[in-house]
Amino acid sequence: MPARFLPGVRCDTVPSSSSAATSIDEEFSPLRWRGDCLELLDQTRLPAAEVWLRCTAPEEVAAAIRRLAVRGAPAIGIAAAYGLVLSTSGAESENLAEDFAAAARLLGSTRPTAVNLAWALERGRKVFAAAAPDGRDAARTALLEWARSVHADDIAANRAIGRHARALFAANDRVLTHCNAGALATGGYGTAIGVIRAAFEAGCVAQVWVDETRPLLQGSRLTAWELRRLGIPFRVVTDSSAGALISRGLVQKIVVGADRIARNGDTANKIGTYPLAVLAHRHGVPFYVAAPLSTLDADTATGADIPIEERAGAEITEWHGAQLAPEGATGMNFAFDVTPNELIAAIITEAGVLRAPFDATIAGALDTSGRR
Amino acid sequence: MPARFLPGVRCDTVPSSSSAATSIDEEFSPLRWRGDCLELLDQTRLPAAEVWLRCTAPEEVAAAIRRLAVRGAPAIGIAAAYGLVLSTSGAESENLAEDFAAAARLLGSTRPTAVNLAWALERGRKVFAAAAPDGRDAARTALLEWARSVHADDIAANRAIGRHARALFAANDRVLTHCNAGALATGGYGTAIGVIRAAFEAGCVAQVWVDETRPLLQGSRLTAWELRRLGIPFRVVTDSSAGALISRGLVQKIVVGADRIARNGDTANKIGTYPLAVLAHRHGVPFYVAAPLSTLDADTATGADIPIEERAGAEITEWHGAQLAPEGATGMNFAFDVTPNELIAAIITEAGVLRAPFDATIAGALDTSGRR
């Protein structure tokens, strides 16, 4: 393990872009830069097939984000960063600044809830502004170096999150997780699954309960796929099973990722997260959110201010083209819900384990890391 | 509406078997007796196809119950009653008592949680014991008359449940229900859907939220099918959406059915019911259970004493033969969970609306109806 991952080393001391490149290659990642294009593991095809998509233009990246070929707040942010690199692929005769601005707008319009997307685009704009006066090649080189560092930083952050989380676990814990907050949702290693992975390696996880996560089954399709690769024992359950499992004493910890965390700690995450937090609270089971600092949004005061994406109802009423509900039935499909801070035992970040009062601890973590 | 359904008329004054026959025909039912066989609407085929299965032997009824071609606690009880009739179809040379006992054992072994099944079999044994000394034809005639009365009584009970429930609703309520507790789950009319139907006819239901109810989608497949026939507006949601809907103020009432209610009011119902009750409690939304008295089990002290069926994990990891999770992934599939009585605002029965303390009100309802 590289020295920068040692306990006590703060995330903001992390990577130069050259060491970052090594770091990306050390870890399975659902995104990879290949010469002049971004390749994405098409997550809509998992677990049946492992198909990599080649994206040579920002429009292709935006389309992949929209249709969830790449998903998970951190992974969306990284994909957008590489998408900005692709905006510089035009001919010298074209307007570089216009191409870049159009790409940033397009990528920013894909999904509203994950703040990592806006975070990456904002930083990308600064990198571009500094390099663009030196021409297209300079802009491209600077953006690629930056995108790779965003990517490597995310992996490093996830490893740090896992390291910080270990002390929260006890021997033979059974851990429940929702959706997929693993390597597939990030640059690599994962947030919630990173936590589980680190705790498992420390001998503290007996079994994982994998919520299937309707409607698109990111749990049974993706989290199960990852845990199988990692050799971590798991069983898949319906999203509505948590009450029965918790009340039978079969769940010692719940760990989820996040799409956006308001500055008071309220957390938007995949629909179904809030009910888990309510159940955990009732039964005294610790409910943890694992997320990099890039998911904390100092500009959002509370959960009520987080925009929640509503996706097509057909994701619920159809499955691979087959009708699950009667003809004419419509679905209502909020993609995320908001868990209020009082239900969260801790937010595990690369800067450490943050606890209530979250206003103060989140502000402290952001200030210390120079992220605001 | 027949006089016996008027408010204030107690359910135990209900049907003679001759009027019962009329009552069955007045209402859509997923079960129908045709000459010498029981026909069941195959609920595994809905909503794509409406296929009726012919059962001429108890073994066929048992198989239909096991594979959920007929499901819902009251409907299972009625199917078992007709199944006992079919046990008398053997030749005169065969042992009538042995045939009957074997059928009762087989039917009783199909599913453990719904108490209506045990309830029906216990009563069927008494009918048989009284008539069997007069021979096979007498036993068959008595059992058929009794089975039809069980069937008609259930419809009458459901109509009474709906009538009692109306006063609980206010104009423009949006009502959430889980699984299917409609005509398809009963002799006809439905329990939870009967309540919704009665409240809708009284102008009190603006819209129904239909939980899809994984893994077998009794909500999106069956409840949506029924509400569409009834012309009641609805939208299908994932089971994990309730938290978001309730916290946005989009749910004024929750109504569910029951598979078994202990004598303290603890209620076993489809997995996912308990999380709904916990969410309802947190947000001050009334959580109602609608069930006939035949679902109340005076022999079960608390929810902890209710046997909970565990079904095949493949119901979660596969869909119509297609793999949803990676090869080798296993599911854990509790079919029911238990909602503790303190989360239940009222249990709506044909004897009236029962409230806490449930020990006393349930005992009173059972005593008054002569059911214990």
Side-chain angles (χ1 to χ4, degrees):
Chain A
M1 189 182 287
R4 67 176 181 280
F5 297 125
L6 286 180
V9 177
R10 281 226 317 283
C11 61
D12 53 346
T13 66
V14 174
S16 71
S17 62
S18 58
S19 63
T22 313
S23 174
I24 294 172
D25 295 339
E26 280 170 359
E27 191 63 57
F28 168 80
S29 173
L31 315 97
R32 59 191 188 199
W33 184 261
R34 285 288 183 270
D36 58 355
C37 72
L38 173 65
E39 291 188 353
L40 300 172
L41 180 57
D42 186 348
Q43 300 188 32
T44 67
R45 305 286 299 276
L46 289 174
E50 295 177 28
V51 177
W52 289 83
L53 301 171
R54 283 175 60 93
C55 299
T56 57
E59 293 75 12
E60 292 168 351
V61 178
I65 294 173
R66 269 189 221 281
R67 70 179 191 84
L68 312 190
V70 59
R71 29 66 52 199
I76 290 171
I78 297 163
Y82 286 120
L84 292 180
V85 180
L86 295 173
S87 78
T88 64
S89 302
E92 278 300 335
S93 59
E94 293 175 18
N95 188 316
L96 178 62
E98 275 179 18
D99 288 352
F100 180 86
R105 272 196 308 275
L106 178 68
L107 291 162
S109 71
T110 51
R111 302 193 68 195
T113 303
V115 73
N116 312 59
L117 176 60
W119 177 90
L121 294 174
E122 182 191 325
R123 276 152 188 74
R125 283 191 184 95
K126 289 180 187 159
V127 172
F128 179 80
D134 298 329
R136 188 172 288 267
D137 285 350
R140 184 179 184 85
T141 301
L143 281 169
L144 180 56
E145 185 175 359
W146 163 75
R148 294 182 68 89
S149 78
V150 168
H151 191 171
D153 286 2
D154 187 64
I155 297 173
N158 292 344
R159 286 188 167 276
I161 288 169
R163 199 176 63 238
H164 290 307
R166 278 186 203 162
L168 302 173
F169 287 77
N172 294 316
D173 274 350
R174 278 165 293 197
V175 183
L176 185 144
T177 190
H178 190 64
C179 197
N180 171 269
L184 290 168
T186 62
Y189 197 80
T191 52
I193 294 185
V195 164
I196 289 169
R197 185 172 166 177
F200 177 76
E201 287 165 1
C204 289
V205 173
Q207 191 201 281
V208 180
W209 298 110
V210 175
D211 272 4
E212 61 173 359
T213 315
R214 282 282 291 156
L216 297 178
L217 302 179
Q218 290 93 337
S220 48
R221 292 193 304 110
L222 308 181
T223 294
W225 183 83
E226 286 199 42
L227 293 177
R228 196 136 182 276
R229 283 171 61 111
L230 294 168
I232 300 175
F234 70 92
R235 291 187 81 173
V236 181
V237 292
T238 60
D239 302 320
S240 68
S241 293
L245 296 174
I246 293 172
S247 64
R248 286 165 182 253
L250 298 175
V251 180
Q252 280 71 52
K253 304 284 186 308
I254 298 180
V255 191
V256 299
D259 289 79
R260 186 186 304 212
I261 300 174
R263 65 172 183 262
N264 72 343
D266 292 352
T267 296
N269 191 46
K270 175 59 54 191
I271 189 88
T273 300
Y274 171 54
L276 295 177
V278 172
L279 286 164
H281 189 252
R282 179 175 166 88
H283 290 274
V285 171
F287 179 89
Y288 297 118
V289 173
L293 296 175
S294 57
T295 302
L296 301 180
D297 183 10
D299 296 331
T300 297
T302 74
D305 304 307
I306 301 176
I308 299 296
E309 179 180 5
E310 189 184 331
R311 295 183 59 85
E315 288 184 350
I316 299 171
T317 57
E318 298 175 13
W319 181 257
H320 284 216
Q323 195 72 20
L324 300 181
E327 209 62 50
T330 58
M332 177 79 169
N333 188 7
F334 291 120
F336 306 95
D337 60 23
V338 174
T339 298
N341 57 20
E342 72 265 22
L343 300 179
I344 299 170
I347 299 171
I348 312 166
T349 74
E350 68 270 40
V353 176
L354 312 182
R355 295 189 184 267
F358 288 110
D359 285 289
T361 53
I362 287 175
L366 290 175
D367 284 342
T368 307
S369 67
R371 285 190 185 257
R372 67 163 200 178
Chain B
M1 190 182 284
R4 67 176 181 279
F5 296 124
L6 286 180
V9 177
R10 281 225 318 281
C11 62
D12 53 345
T13 67
V14 173
S16 72
S17 63
S18 58
S19 63
T22 314
S23 174
I24 294 171
D25 294 338
E26 280 170 359
E27 191 63 59
F28 168 80
S29 173
L31 316 96
R32 60 191 188 199
W33 184 261
R34 286 289 183 268
D36 58 355
C37 71
L38 173 65
E39 291 188 351
L40 300 171
L41 180 58
D42 186 348
Q43 301 187 32
T44 66
R45 304 286 299 277
L46 288 174
E50 296 179 26
V51 178
W52 289 83
L53 302 170
R54 283 174 60 91
C55 299
T56 57
E59 293 76 12
E60 291 168 350
V61 178
I65 294 173
R66 269 188 221 282
R67 72 179 190 82
L68 311 192
V70 59
R71 29 65 53 198
I76 290 170
I78 297 163
Y82 285 119
L84 292 180
V85 180
L86 295 173
S87 79
T88 65
S89 302
E92 278 300 334
S93 58
E94 294 175 18
N95 189 317
L96 177 63
E98 276 180 16
D99 287 351
F100 179 87
R105 273 196 309 274
L106 177 66
L107 290 162
S109 71
T110 50
R111 300 193 67 194
T113 304
V115 74
N116 313 58
L117 176 59
W119 178 90
L121 295 174
E122 182 192 325
R123 275 152 190 75
R125 284 190 183 96
K126 288 179 186 160
V127 172
F128 179 80
D134 297 329
R136 185 172 291 266
D137 285 350
R140 184 178 182 85
T141 301
L143 282 169
L144 180 56
E145 185 175 1
W146 163 76
R148 293 182 69 89
S149 77
V150 168
H151 190 172
D153 286 2
D154 187 63
I155 297 172
N158 292 345
R159 286 188 168 276
I161 287 168
R163 200 177 60 239
H164 290 308
R166 278 185 202 163
L168 302 173
F169 287 76
N172 295 317
D173 274 352
R174 278 165 291 197
V175 183
L176 185 143
T177 190
H178 189 65
C179 195
N180 172 268
L184 290 168
T186 63
Y189 197 80
T191 52
I193 293 185
V195 164
I196 289 168
R197 187 171 164 177
F200 177 75
E201 286 166 3
C204 291
V205 173
Q207 191 201 280
V208 180
W209 298 110
V210 175
D211 272 6
E212 60 173 0
T213 315
R214 282 282 292 158
L216 297 178
L217 301 179
Q218 291 93 337
S220 49
R221 292 192 303 109
L222 308 181
T223 294
W225 183 82
E226 287 199 42
L227 293 178
R228 196 137 182 276
R229 283 171 61 110
L230 295 169
I232 299 175
F234 69 92
R235 293 187 81 172
V236 180
V237 292
T238 60
D239 301 320
S240 68
S241 293
L245 296 174
I246 294 172
S247 63
R248 287 164 181 254
L250 298 175
V251 180
Q252 281 71 50
K253 304 283 186 309
I254 298 180
V255 190
V256 299
D259 289 80
R260 186 185 305 211
I261 300 174
R263 63 173 184 261
N264 72 342
D266 291 352
T267 296
N269 190 48
K270 176 59 53 189
I271 189 88
T273 300
Y274 171 54
L276 295 177
V278 172
L279 286 164
H281 189 253
R282 179 174 166 89
H283 290 274
V285 171
F287 179 87
Y288 297 118
V289 173
L293 295 174
S294 58
T295 303
L296 302 180
D297 184 9
D299 296 332
T300 297
T302 73
D305 304 308
I306 301 175
I308 299 296
E309 179 180 4
E310 188 184 331
R311 295 183 61 85
E315 287 184 350
I316 298 172
T317 56
E318 298 176 14
W319 182 256
H320 285 215
Q323 196 72 20
L324 300 181
E327 209 63 51
T330 59
M332 177 80 168
N333 187 9
F334 291 119
F336 306 96
D337 60 23
V338 174
T339 299
N341 57 20
E342 73 265 21
L343 300 179
I344 299 170
I347 299 171
I348 311 166
T349 74
E350 67 271 40
V353 175
L354 312 183
R355 295 191 184 267
F358 288 109
D359 285 289
T361 54
I362 287 174
L366 291 174
D367 285 343
T368 307
S369 67
R371 284 187 185 259
R372 70 163 198 179

